[in-house]
Amino acid sequence: MEILGYKMLIAFGSNENSVQGDVRETLEWAAKRVVALSLSLPSCSRLYATPAFPAGAGPDFVNAVMQIDTDQPPQAILSALHAIEQDAHRVRGQRWGQRTLDL
């Protein structure tokens, strides 16, 4: 049986301004880039706030999730997501630390 495509859920998160703007602007910018990876109009949640972990570790996160349909294999999509994070100047320094963009 040949796989014709994939449904993927992409989680978005940010709690630090980026070169793309404030947290919400960064997520909106990233969402536009992720939409380009989809073969059809994706489904997307609303933006919502969640506390940083552990408590007091930084500003609250703004999060969302998007479902895309793609013919790209998972590793190719992951590489594309890492490139989007890099364009937002994501630094992977500290686990659970603040970040400009998390996909």
Side-chain angles (χ1 to χ4, degrees):
M1 178 177 187
E2 181 180 348
I3 296 176
L4 300 176
Y6 302 90
K7 286 195 180 296
M8 296 186 186
L9 296 174
I10 312 297
F12 293 73
S14 178
N15 73 336
E16 187 175 85
N17 295 345
S18 79
V19 296
Q20 306 304 333
D22 66 23
V23 170
R24 289 181 185 277
E25 291 169 328
T26 299
L27 291 180
E28 290 169 358
W29 168 85
K32 290 176 187 173
R33 302 273 308 266
V34 173
V35 165
L37 302 174
S38 187
L39 296 172
S40 60
L41 187 61
S43 300
C44 190
S45 73
R46 65 178 177 81
L47 298 176
Y48 58 97
T50 55
F53 179 85
D60 287 352
F61 279 89
V62 176
N63 296 287
V65 67
M66 182 183 292
Q67 178 182 302
I68 65 170
D69 296 309
T70 181
D71 57 359
Q72 300 285 324
Q75 192 59 41
I77 294 297
L78 183 60
S79 293
L81 296 176
H82 284 167
I84 294 168
E85 287 179 341
Q86 189 173 33
D87 288 346
H89 294 190
R90 163 77 189 264
V91 175
R92 296 180 185 275
Q94 175 187 0
R95 186 174 185 178
W96 308 115
Q98 290 183 209
R99 57 199 71 152
T100 58
L101 181 60
D102 190 15
L103 298 173

